[in-house]
Amino acid sequence: MSGYLVTLAITVGIYMILALSLNIIVGYAGQISLGHAAFWAIGAYSFAILTTKYGLGFIESSVLAVIITTLVGIFLGLPSLRVSEDFLAITTIGINFIVQGIFNSSDYFGGAMGIGGIPFPTFKGEMISNTAFMLMVYGFVAITIVASYMFKRSWAGLASFAIKDDELAASVNSVSPVRFKLLSFAIGSAIAGISGVLYASFMSFISAADFSFPVSVTILAMVMVGGEATIIGPIFGSVLLVILPEIFRFIHDYRMLLYGLLLVFMMRFQPDGFFGKRGLVWGILKRFSKV
Amino acid sequence: MFFQQVVNGLTIGGVYALIAMGLALVYGILRIIHVAHAGVYVVGAYTGLYVFMFSHSFVLAALASMIASAVVGVLIEELVYMPLLNNSPIISLIASIGVFISIEEGIRLVFGPYIKSFPSAMFSGEYHLGSLILSSSQVVVLLVGMISIVLIWFITQKTRFGLALKAVSEDIEMAEGVSIDSRWMIMLAFAFSSAFAGLAGLLVGAYFNSVYPSMGDVPAYKSLAIIVVGGMNNIWGAFFAAIVIGLLETIAIGVFNVPLPRDSLAFIFMVVMLLIKPSGIMGIFKR
């Protein structure tokens, strides 16, 4: 594989983890989150600060970064629990802007200059190759897929689905909405933290602009275009939305316009995503299985 | 200095109010977070700029920008929102963000990415009231803003149209039951709120004497914070919240030099508000 393909594969993998983690919050628990880039940022920034400022090793910093992201996720989940649906969407947009604003204006976090020199993982004192990094990323993708699958099948997942379908009915059946919403926020932000660690380590330089609101929209679009609450959906969505801009690089002036139109047309004609209940792919598969 | 900032805050708050009130109106009727409203605002700014270039008349420019934005607003409603009405709100929200990106990018491709300014600064001269300095564009923004808000108040509170709008936003089926044509009312509501968003675009363009494709980014998300603070579907809540946030920002940055980025202040205020009083600013008055 050429270096370009490996880099592309790593980017796709990092977004896959991110999209799957948002899927736990949006798809499984039905909590609209438009600020997922904020959790990604917290993972990446914690890792960057721990390695560059405090000189911690790769593994210790990764573990700490994931713990920090989870705690912040729970903390930010708390005000979000007081609100639902549309209010929640706007609150999470707000969280994204506030987190980005803090990273962008605080000198401790490198301010507008960002943080550079974030270490690449090493093995026996030597930096691992990009291909090895790619394998590591896909290892985490596999772990995330297994975790998503297990969450979906567990009682916690069932409880979350119940809350998503009808919060009142679920709470009457003694399923605590607060508990499971927080749980999904915690799991979702923990996995986003992993993705942030991988991103920071791979890029070796991060700045607040990498985690702006449009990035959150892109992540949500990956989940929605593929099909929320499925596992294949976010995977497919992240492949599509990372690869498409690469293919259309030659008309790069029209890229954002096409992207905007894609969002509109997807929502207009495939509102459940390609792999969702009313999606194109399932429709085709069903037709073939009938024959 | 302090009063100067208060006047500046009122000016900017008045413009926010013109955008946010329309957003609250649309939310009240369709329960859609209409992010593309800020796209309509950019369309208004560009139409106003080009009409002013050719006619050199502010009144014509204002009329043209209101009409153009009303048309764009109605098109968005007819082509995107109405067909999506039976889906979950997140779907129309994403579609709305898509429309917003498309409008901004379309404008960037057609008119270029650069900042454009009005040919001869639209209004020149300053007024001095004691230590207070008002530029004439500021006076125009303040005046037009106030007139528009009185107009919005009159239309929504004192006319049959306003009453019908209120009925539709309370309960579409009941409104249909008393023979209100809700489809038509929704269209008119979009035309009405988009027209004022377009006017706000022209006013901001004139105030800062610059019009550029991404000028809608900040209002797009700040107006969302404003309607949350105002109580989502409450037009007057949105008005008060817009004024409060306009003042808060300008005074926090201009007088107290708060080290946070200006545009995240509205969201911080929003989160604090949600923790204290989730029903919004009008909820405080009702108690």
Side-chain angles (χ1 to χ4, degrees):
Chain A
M1 273 171 104
S2 73
Y4 170 70
L5 278 182
V6 172
T7 308
L8 195 61
I10 291 173
T11 316
V12 171
I14 289 174
Y15 274 103
M16 273 183 193
I17 300 175
L18 204 50
L20 283 166
S21 73
L22 181 61
N23 188 39
I24 291 176
I25 301 175
V26 175
Y28 297 169
Q31 302 291 295
I32 301 171
S33 172
L34 266 167
H36 207 56
F39 300 113
W40 197 34
I42 292 165
Y45 264 92
S46 329
F47 178 77
I49 294 280
L50 287 169
T51 50
T52 57
K53 283 219 164 117
Y54 299 101
L56 264 70
F58 185 83
I59 294 171
E60 300 96 297
S61 334
S62 323
V63 172
L64 277 176
V66 172
I67 293 173
I68 293 171
T69 318
T70 315
L71 292 179
V72 177
I74 293 172
F75 176 70
L76 292 182
L78 282 174
S80 316
L81 287 177
R82 294 174 59 97
V83 292
S84 59
E85 294 207 331
D86 300 335
F87 277 90
L88 180 63
I90 299 177
T91 310
T92 49
I93 294 176
I95 288 174
N96 199 155
F97 274 94
I98 294 169
V99 168
Q100 200 201 349
I102 291 171
F103 285 144
N104 201 27
S105 59
S106 150
D107 287 335
Y108 182 75
F109 296 110
M113 302 291 288
I115 301 177
I118 305 163
F120 207 65
T122 52
F123 184 69
K124 286 184 181 165
E126 280 193 40
M127 268 210 255
I128 63 171
S129 68
N130 268 6
T131 318
F133 192 87
M134 182 185 79
L135 292 176
M136 186 174 89
V137 168
Y138 280 91
F140 279 110
V141 171
I143 293 172
T144 314
I145 292 173
V146 171
S148 300
Y149 186 72
M150 279 167 63
F151 183 74
K152 205 175 171 180
R153 293 287 300 273
S154 69
W155 51 274
L158 289 176
S160 300
F161 276 112
I163 293 164
K164 184 187 177 187
D165 283 341
D166 191 334
E167 196 172 323
L168 189 64
S171 62
V172 168
N173 285 295
S174 64
V175 172
S176 154
V178 171
R179 206 168 137 200
F180 291 102
K181 282 181 187 174
L182 266 190
L183 183 71
S184 71
F185 256 99
I187 298 177
S189 42
I191 300 175
I194 297 175
S195 176
V197 166
L198 292 172
Y199 179 78
S201 167
F202 181 61
M203 300 305 284
S204 93
F205 168 80
I206 52 170
S207 72
D210 301 348
F211 310 100
S212 59
F213 175 65
V215 178
S216 291
V217 176
T218 312
I219 307 167
L220 188 62
M222 287 170 177
V223 176
M224 300 303 289
V225 165
E228 50 145 18
T230 64
I231 290 175
I232 182 87
I235 295 175
F236 173 77
S238 40
V239 174
L240 188 77
L241 289 185
V242 175
I243 302 287
L244 273 188
E246 292 297 318
I247 295 173
F248 289 109
R249 204 166 265 276
F250 65 99
I251 44 169
H252 112 289
D253 238 17
Y254 298 87
R255 222 159 66 171
M256 277 312 281
L257 179 69
L258 287 175
Y259 178 71
L261 292 176
L262 173 78
L263 282 189
V264 181
F265 279 99
M266 261 319 279
M267 291 304 117
R268 175 73 177 77
F269 297 107
Q270 286 282 296
D272 283 349
F274 283 124
F275 291 89
K277 261 178 261 158
R278 288 172 291 168
L280 195 68
V281 176
W282 282 148
I284 293 170
L285 285 180
K286 254 183 229 158
R287 191 168 298 165
F288 277 112
S289 63
K290 261 178 206 161
V291 174
Chain B
M1 180 63 186
F2 181 75
F3 282 105
Q4 181 71 50
Q5 297 297 351
V6 168
V7 175
N8 291 348
L10 280 178
T11 317
I12 210 73
V15 177
Y16 290 163
L18 282 186
I19 310 168
M21 288 167 89
L23 199 61
L25 182 70
V26 166
Y27 184 81
I29 289 176
L30 283 188
R31 305 282 142 173
I32 282 174
I33 302 176
H34 182 26
V35 176
H37 202 51
V40 172
Y41 156 95
V42 185
V43 170
Y46 268 85
T47 317
L49 172 75
Y50 277 88
V51 171
F52 185 77
M53 269 185 187
F54 289 113
S55 66
H56 288 277
S57 148
F58 176 72
V59 178
L60 265 184
L63 278 179
S65 72
M66 287 177 87
I67 292 167
S69 359
V71 170
V72 173
V74 169
L75 282 178
I76 295 172
E77 176 256 337
E78 283 293 306
L79 299 179
V80 182
Y81 293 153
M82 285 319 273
L84 288 177
L85 215 51
N86 294 325
N87 288 297
S88 79
I90 186 176
I91 284 168
S92 32
L93 173 61
I94 295 180
S96 182
I97 294 174
V99 172
F100 177 52
I101 296 174
S102 315
I103 291 180
E104 278 199 343
E105 285 297 306
I107 284 176
R108 186 178 67 84
L109 289 171
V110 175
F111 298 105
Y114 309 108
I115 295 181
K116 292 184 187 293
S117 41
F118 286 88
S120 53
M122 203 177 232
F123 313 99
S124 48
E126 285 179 347
Y127 300 94
H128 292 259
L129 299 170
S131 62
L132 210 63
I133 304 166
L134 289 174
S135 69
S136 50
S137 61
Q138 194 168 15
V139 173
V140 171
V141 173
L142 273 169
L143 274 181
V144 177
M146 266 193 277
I147 294 169
S148 312
I149 283 160
V150 171
L151 207 63
I152 295 176
W153 171 80
F154 183 78
I155 292 173
T156 55
Q157 304 292 318
K158 298 285 164 192
T159 60
R160 284 180 68 84
F161 167 63
L163 206 61
L165 272 185
K166 212 179 272 174
V168 173
S169 75
E170 286 285 323
D171 190 332
I172 290 191
E173 273 144 37
M174 280 299 279
E176 293 256 315
V178 292
S179 68
I180 292 171
D181 185 350
S182 66
R183 246 341 249 282
W184 178 235
M185 277 299 143
I186 292 170
M187 244 171 92
L188 283 181
F190 265 84
F192 176 68
S193 53
S194 303
F196 284 105
L199 183 65
L202 174 64
L203 288 178
V204 169
Y207 183 40
F208 295 111
N209 199 16
S210 62
V211 172
Y212 49 97
S214 61
M215 67 187 286
D217 286 355
V218 170
Y221 310 119
K222 208 177 276 179
S223 56
L224 295 180
I226 290 172
I227 63 167
V228 169
V229 173
M232 256 354 222
N233 57 0
N234 189 323
I235 303 180
W236 300 101
F239 168 73
F240 283 118
I243 300 289
V244 167
I245 285 179
L247 282 173
L248 182 89
E249 276 185 0
T250 324
I251 292 170
I253 302 294
V255 181
F256 297 109
N257 288 316
V258 175
L260 280 166
R262 182 189 180 106
D263 298 326
S264 63
L265 285 177
F267 284 106
I268 292 173
F269 186 60
M270 176 192 84
V271 171
V272 172
M273 190 74 194
L274 280 174
L275 292 173
I276 305 169
K277 188 85 195 158
S279 59
I281 216 165
M282 293 304 260
I284 292 177
F285 293 127
K286 268 182 196 146
R287 238 196 335 196

